[in-house]
Amino acid sequence: MILEKERKEVMEKLEEWRKKGSFIEKLLNEMENSGEEFWIDTKKRDLEIGVKNIIKGKPNRGRIKIFFHSENKPVIFFYKVSTVPHSIDRFSYGVVLPSLNPEEREVKEWINFLLSGLSPDKRPLNLKRSFPFDIPE
Amino acid sequence: MKKLNPGELQLDLFCKGIRIDESCTLEEDARLFARTRAGLGSGLELVIPGNLKDLWANIPVEEDFAQNSPYILRKKGKDYVVFDERNSFEYPVRIPEEPKWYNEKTSSGIPMSKIGVLQGTYLGIYVSNSCGFWYHDPPLNCKFCTTGLNVGVNEVADKRVEDVVEVALKAKEESKITFVHLNTGYSSGKDPDIMAPYVKALKEKVGVLVGLQFIPTKELWKIDWLIDLGADHFSFCYEFHNPEYFEKYLPGKFKFVGQKTFFDNLEYACKKMMKGKVSGEIIAGVEPIEDTLKAIDYITSLGAFPTVCIFRPLLGADMEDFPSPSYEDMYTVFKHVYNACRKNNIPIGVVPNIEVSLVVLPVDAKYLVKHDLKYYLYEWEMKILRLFAYPYFKWRMRKRKINVPLDPEEWKRLKGIGD
């Protein structure tokens, strides 16, 4: 489920991003049906999603950031946030360049990767760990 | 348990990492945390004051093993201490402040800290657009490395020569750097060519010592070309001396370069440069310790100095779940580093103002050895050398016109070198 989806900022964010392609709708549906608690970071310009599960006794540091590299070219960036207060360092685990209409299997892979705390054995098949472009802040 | 000396504390912190207490105000007091290049600089930069010398270290904080460290960084008044919760010992440390230029932008609008960062007291810059090994299918990246994960995330992918020069000028002016270390990933054999314009520009426009670290070349004459362009130092990262570990953990280096090419470059550069100007870089804590000791003996026998990185299981790396090395093993390794440098009379700690936080330098390891007559003789020799070498380094650090072509083939023709 998506936490606080009735809150104005979350609602507006989701509404804005739903317009950007059916892959967002599929992703949000998968999150709603997974039985885990996902949250949306409304302070970020892009769509950033975290999950409130526990990995090896510690809160899951994994995040998904979705942005458009260029028009009609979405990027799903998987990363861990820093444990150091105020650090803006991001620990990349790679990107997926999804089609605008991905298969259900692919969407499940992205969510399972996030839920696993970005575990190497749950890497999505089409994960690119290296990429020749910059990830926006 | 007795209190550790500064060198022992530096080693133990590298092996165990540190946790940050809520009393700390690192956002005001410390340098930006920035995992760039291969990833070793992901931690907390701190200085351990010592009677023999102060020690710089970049201590792991983000990796999983560091979350279980017995060491905690605390702020007491205005000062910082490392607290060991096993025995309640406290060690005073200094947190180097963030250079003001980190928050400035180059004239092309790029934040300067996304071009290069201080790693100790020198400027480290990854100049190529990631490493070719990461783009293979399946990827052939070194299993400990996170270069391919950092470029484009914590540092910009494309670094223009002009931006690098601007950042180096700022770092020289405000942080008093004397040394810029440039490195690249695998670029299909074109690595020296990528370095060349940066070396020339840094020599002509900044006036600074320049160190280069690139994937070795089969065209050994390109080392001469880079020396002509002004390179002051070369380091060759062959990581593991044991060929089986080299093959297993460095698939790209094994497939496209080979351990022998590393050795050939190291040996060639050592013949062309003064003793102590070349380094062989290895990782300790993965291959059997006997192999690491063999590597140190081999590197020092050539007249090079060993740069030994303590293995750090970085977030996102293929070896993320490997254990961090044991303190006892690392003690043996670094004691050997110092003694091997002494035995082979390798100059250490001679260049002005180069402190490296990513590794334990040979000169840092003086805290780990017996202080006998041999130790004092070597230390005295280094002191005298430091005095006499100072004018030489000042001369090397002057801005000067480099009349050397950037086209390697043209240089080769001018030098009359055949194919």
Side-chain angles (χ1 to χ4, degrees):
Chain A
M1 63 180 286
I2 300 169
L3 295 171
E4 294 189 298
K5 56 178 179 286
E6 308 303 326
R7 187 159 65 88
K8 188 173 168 264
E9 290 85 353
V10 176
M11 220 188 306
E12 283 174 0
K13 187 90 166 168
L14 294 179
E15 203 177 322
E16 175 200 341
W17 278 83
R18 276 194 170 103
K19 291 175 195 157
K20 299 194 180 193
S22 68
F23 78 104
I24 298 283
E25 192 62 52
K26 287 184 178 180
L27 181 73
L28 296 177
N29 285 342
E30 191 60 38
M31 283 157 55
E32 279 293 1
N33 299 330
S34 79
E36 297 287 347
E37 293 183 327
F38 294 88
W39 58 278
I40 308 293
D41 190 341
T42 52
K43 289 181 190 137
K44 298 284 168 95
R45 189 184 54 185
D46 299 311
L47 182 58
E48 296 222 11
I49 301 162
V51 59
K52 287 203 162 181
N53 63 344
I54 300 293
I55 304 293
K56 294 181 195 165
K58 301 255 161 54
N60 189 344
R61 290 162 72 185
R63 289 268 188 107
I64 282 178
K65 176 189 180 74
I66 303 171
F67 65 98
F68 279 78
H69 174 46
S70 57
E71 205 181 344
N72 293 327
K73 284 197 177 157
V75 178
I76 303 177
F77 173 52
F78 295 89
Y79 75 103
K80 280 187 184 174
V81 290
S82 172
T83 54
V84 178
H86 306 286
S87 170
I88 53 162
D89 229 2
R90 298 175 294 180
F91 300 96
S92 169
Y93 280 69
V95 298
V96 166
L97 307 174
S99 67
L100 290 172
N101 192 14
E103 288 174 30
E104 199 179 320
R105 171 195 60 80
E106 294 177 86
V107 181
K108 274 191 196 309
E109 277 181 358
W110 309 336
I111 293 295
N112 287 338
F113 189 39
L114 178 63
L115 286 173
S116 73
L118 311 182
S119 169
D121 57 358
K122 296 282 181 191
R123 282 177 188 157
L125 282 176
N126 51 358
L127 182 79
K128 290 182 189 304
R129 296 179 69 218
S130 209
F131 36 88
F133 52 82
D134 293 335
I135 304 287
E137 298 287 351
Chain B
M1 192 177 183
K2 69 175 179 64
K3 216 167 174 180
L4 302 177
N5 74 34
E8 293 166 339
L9 178 65
Q10 183 195 33
L11 269 193
D12 209 24
L13 284 168
F14 269 122
C15 294
K16 295 189 173 70
I18 197 167
R19 289 177 284 149
I20 313 285
D21 185 66
E22 284 177 1
S23 59
C24 301
T25 50
L26 296 178
E27 67 280 14
E28 291 163 16
D29 303 328
R31 289 178 181 175
L32 160 94
F33 283 71
R35 192 176 80 170
T36 57
R37 309 175 99 197
L40 267 189
S42 62
L44 170 74
E45 292 265 308
L46 59 76
V47 182
I48 306 166
N51 56 328
L52 303 176
K53 78 181 283 289
D54 291 352
L55 301 178
W56 287 69
N58 186 290
I59 308 301
V61 286
E62 298 281 10
E63 292 74 19
D64 288 344
F65 72 93
Q67 316 298 322
N68 302 317
S69 171
Y71 293 109
I72 304 167
L73 182 76
R74 287 182 175 165
K75 190 171 184 182
K76 285 185 134 185
K78 283 185 175 173
D79 301 319
Y80 280 91
V81 293
V82 170
F83 176 75
D84 185 342
E85 67 177 7
R86 293 168 298 185
N87 44 38
S88 298
F89 288 150
E90 277 186 357
Y91 301 92
V93 291
R94 189 163 60 78
I95 306 293
E97 64 179 16
E98 180 166 292
K100 288 194 178 68
W101 57 265
Y102 270 27
N103 296 312
E104 292 181 31
K105 288 184 175 173
T106 64
S107 37
S108 64
I110 297 168
M112 289 196 171
S113 63
K114 295 239 168 190
I115 299 287
V117 290
L118 296 183
Q119 297 182 319
T121 59
Y122 73 90
L123 180 67
I125 301 178
Y126 187 87
V127 292
S128 63
N129 186 354
S130 198
C131 167
F133 295 146
W134 284 81
Y135 292 93
H136 274 267
D137 191 15
L140 294 173
N141 59 286
C142 301
K143 304 291 185 191
F144 60 85
C145 180
T146 61
T147 292
L149 301 170
N150 297 332
V151 176
V153 180
N154 295 323
E155 56 184 309
V156 289
D158 186 23
K159 297 191 185 78
R160 300 178 328 134
V161 173
E162 295 77 8
D163 288 327
V164 167
V165 164
E166 263 187 71
V167 172
L169 275 171
K170 266 282 173 195
K172 186 181 177 186
E173 188 189 314
E174 293 182 13
S175 303
K176 311 290 172 215
I177 60 151
T178 55
F179 181 61
V180 178
H181 191 244
L182 307 174
N183 69 326
T184 63
Y186 180 64
S187 311
S188 310
K190 290 283 171 202
D191 308 76
D193 308 44
I194 289 170
M195 293 285 189
Y198 295 96
V199 180
K200 188 171 179 172
L202 287 167
K203 284 290 170 186
E204 288 188 334
K205 294 173 183 163
V206 184
V208 72
L209 300 172
V210 179
L212 304 179
Q213 186 183 91
F214 53 87
I215 299 284
T217 172
K218 298 209 163 135
E219 298 165 302
L220 290 169
W221 56 268
K222 284 191 176 171
I223 290 177
D224 297 283
W225 172 53
L226 289 169
I227 293 171
D228 250 14
L229 281 164
D232 296 281
H233 160 79
F234 292 95
S235 56
F236 297 102
C237 301
Y238 76 96
E239 326 294 6
F240 301 120
H241 202 70
N242 183 320
E244 285 171 27
Y245 281 72
F246 186 91
E247 179 177 350
K248 184 175 178 184
Y249 293 112
L250 320 172
K253 285 182 177 175
F254 174 76
K255 188 172 178 185
F256 291 106
V257 188
Q259 200 181 32
K260 188 181 175 299
T261 310
F262 277 88
F263 293 156
D264 289 346
N265 276 243
L266 190 54
E267 289 166 22
Y268 187 84
C270 282
K271 278 183 198 148
K272 298 287 177 167
M273 297 187 99
M274 282 192 296
K275 215 174 188 181
K277 288 190 94 174
V278 178
S279 146
E281 198 162 319
I282 51 167
I283 296 173
V286 177
E287 66 180 343
I289 196 167
E290 297 72 28
D291 292 310
T292 307
L293 302 184
K294 271 187 212 163
I296 294 164
D297 287 337
Y298 164 68
I299 293 164
T300 50
S301 74
L302 299 174
F305 67 91
T307 305
V308 185
C309 305
I310 295 177
F311 169 67
R312 188 179 297 192
L314 297 164
L315 292 177
D318 292 309
M319 293 170 85
E320 174 175 355
D321 291 331
F322 276 53
S324 182
S326 83
Y327 167 77
E328 291 73 19
D329 281 354
M330 293 305 102
Y331 197 102
T332 306
V333 166
F334 285 96
K335 200 168 141 182
H336 194 71
V337 164
Y338 185 90
N339 286 332
C341 286
R342 181 183 53 70
K343 198 174 130 195
N344 291 284
N345 219 23
I346 310 291
I348 58 171
V350 173
V351 190
N353 193 32
I354 302 187
E355 294 290 348
V356 181
S357 60
L358 305 191
V359 298
V360 177
L361 288 173
V363 70
D364 296 345
K366 64 170 81 174
Y367 282 102
L368 310 176
V369 298
K370 203 168 141 191
H371 290 187
D372 54 12
L373 183 63
K374 284 179 192 164
Y375 165 84
Y376 285 111
L377 284 174
Y378 183 47
E379 285 295 312
W380 270 102
E381 199 186 327
M382 289 307 113
K383 207 173 257 185
I384 293 164
L385 191 59
R386 211 158 25 241
L387 204 66
F388 282 100
Y390 187 73
Y392 167 74
F393 287 118
K394 284 292 277 183
W395 177 73
R396 291 287 303 177
M397 283 188 273
R398 76 201 190 283
K399 281 186 205 173
R400 64 192 161 107
K401 180 84 190 135
I402 305 285
N403 291 312
V404 177
L406 279 175
D407 175 1
E409 294 304 324
E410 190 187 337
W411 179 86
K412 208 172 156 189
R413 272 196 305 277
L414 285 172
K415 291 281 173 181
I417 300 170
D419 287 318

